Amino acid sequence: MTMRRLAGLLLLIGTAVFVAGPMPSARADNPIVQTVYTADPAPLVYNGRVYLYTGHDEDNSTYFTMKEWRVYSTTDMVNWTDHGSPMSLTTFSWASANAWAGQVVNRNGKFYWYVPVTNRATGRMAIGVGVSTSPTGPFTDAIGRPLVENNEIDPTVFIDDTGQAYLYWGNPNLWYVRLNTDMISYSGGVTQIPLTTAGFGTRSGNASRPTLYEEGPWVYKRNGLYYNVFAAKCCSEFIGYSTATGPTGPWTYRGTVMPTQGGSFTNHAGVIDYNGGSYFFYHNGALPGGGGYTRSVAVEKFSYNGDGTIPTITMTSTGAPQVGTLDPYVRQEAETIAWETGVETEVSSEGGMNVGWIENNDSIKVKGVAFGAGATSFTARVASATSGGRIELHLDSVTGPLVGTCTVAGTGGWQTWTSVTCPVSGATGTHDLFLKFAGGSGTCSTSTGGSSARPAAAVT
């Protein structure tokens, strides 16, 4: 089969990427992105949706080779929509390298993305600010220069109940400034937070780093208590945390959140509350070819202890449980994926993203699809520069009950889109839906009806 691209509703056959072999069923959902290597998760809850901002480790990296940032989103914590890369090093004309760990916050109807990059003029790490009117971008350089620069990294921003915003960052030290309400300037000086053993734990064997604090602070407030969750004790790192009664301390070290594990010698945390649950984001090296420079973002659901302390959290391949179900009777994008084997995403000529590089026996899982009384048809937006292929619809696994097959013919180009519809029978109740791509040799693409790309659910 030679279909290669799937936009809007579906995807067909393309060239296999780094996911080796099909997943057996619906168990594993971590890491939550499998199409590329991702790192340094920064979740944001906005308008009932979780937006996840990540870095992008380049394939086969032997250092932190990172040129862009990426955005994903979800309403159910398991099916994640790929929004591509709305910001990169080229966004900042003054930056030369190192699109490292940042965070997005929402204020004044705008979204501000604070990121560390290398300042070309000085060769030092500096904090830049991207801005957009949409959580998915595109982002532009808000000020045309660094907001602050002292050759340290990993900014996190927190807006207190009073309206005062704080920018924290640092490795090997920890700093903060008080941001003005415009979020692109600050008042007062740059303040260094004392790294005491009472505040950040005791590190042994390194006289120059007496505390456990290493990098990657994530500061937030919950039930009147301020939390600073951070990567501790390189290398390999674990995640520890401290608490305080005020946003600038004094901090008290509380212990380990996530022990050292996971095949990456770094880790980086992001913590949110969403839809009645608490979620801990991190990265590891769990994907094929993964490691300390080819990392992958994952998530776990957890519950705070009664006194507000954070329990010890262990990495799993299962991930967070699904919140609700996915509605197959509204347009779903092809790049909304719970798990995939052998496909990639790309920018679609019709807008948004599409799924491509599909080969025979590649697949996409969409989790927890609520078919209800029964779907009768499935529609996908597809493209194939060659002879096309088939999209098989299976329930609960790639070898589960076959409920429909869409035949895709050649469309004359990888971005020449058409819609295909096929009958569906036996899809009732709630199931995981697997889109299995079948045919001869070659590649194809798919989209879910309209613009962008992703295997879409059935339609009535």
Side-chain angles (χ1 to χ4, degrees), residues 161-226:
D161 301 336
T162 62
Q164 177 63 60
Y166 298 84
L167 167 71
Y168 309 80
W169 77 100
N171 177 346
N173 302 296
L174 182 58
W175 311 82
Y176 75 89
V177 294
R178 289 180 169 87
L179 293 173
N180 296 324
T181 55
D182 64 8
M183 301 301 285
I184 56 174
S185 63
Y186 60 89
S187 298
V190 175
T191 301
Q192 184 171 359
I193 295 175
L195 293 178
T196 65
T197 54
F200 295 92
T202 302
R203 182 190 313 220
S204 59
N206 187 342
S208 65
R209 302 290 292 269
T211 75
L212 292 171
Y213 176 83
E214 184 71 24
E215 60 185 351
W218 181 271
V219 178
Y220 64 100
K221 184 180 183 181
R222 186 178 186 274
N223 294 338
L225 190 63
Y226 296 81

Side-chain angles (χ1 to χ4, degrees), residues 269-293:
V271 185
I272 57 169
D273 286 342
Y274 173 67
N275 204 14
S278 298
Y279 296 89
F280 180 84
F281 291 79
Y282 59 96
H283 68 226
N284 58 25
L287 286 181
Y293 301 118

Side-chain angles (χ1 to χ4, degrees), residues 5-26:
R5 302 204 184 338
L6 175 65
L9 190 58
L10 179 63
L11 168 41
L12 222 356
I13 290 178
T15 322
V17 205
F18 50 72
V19 179
M23 291 301 298
S25 67

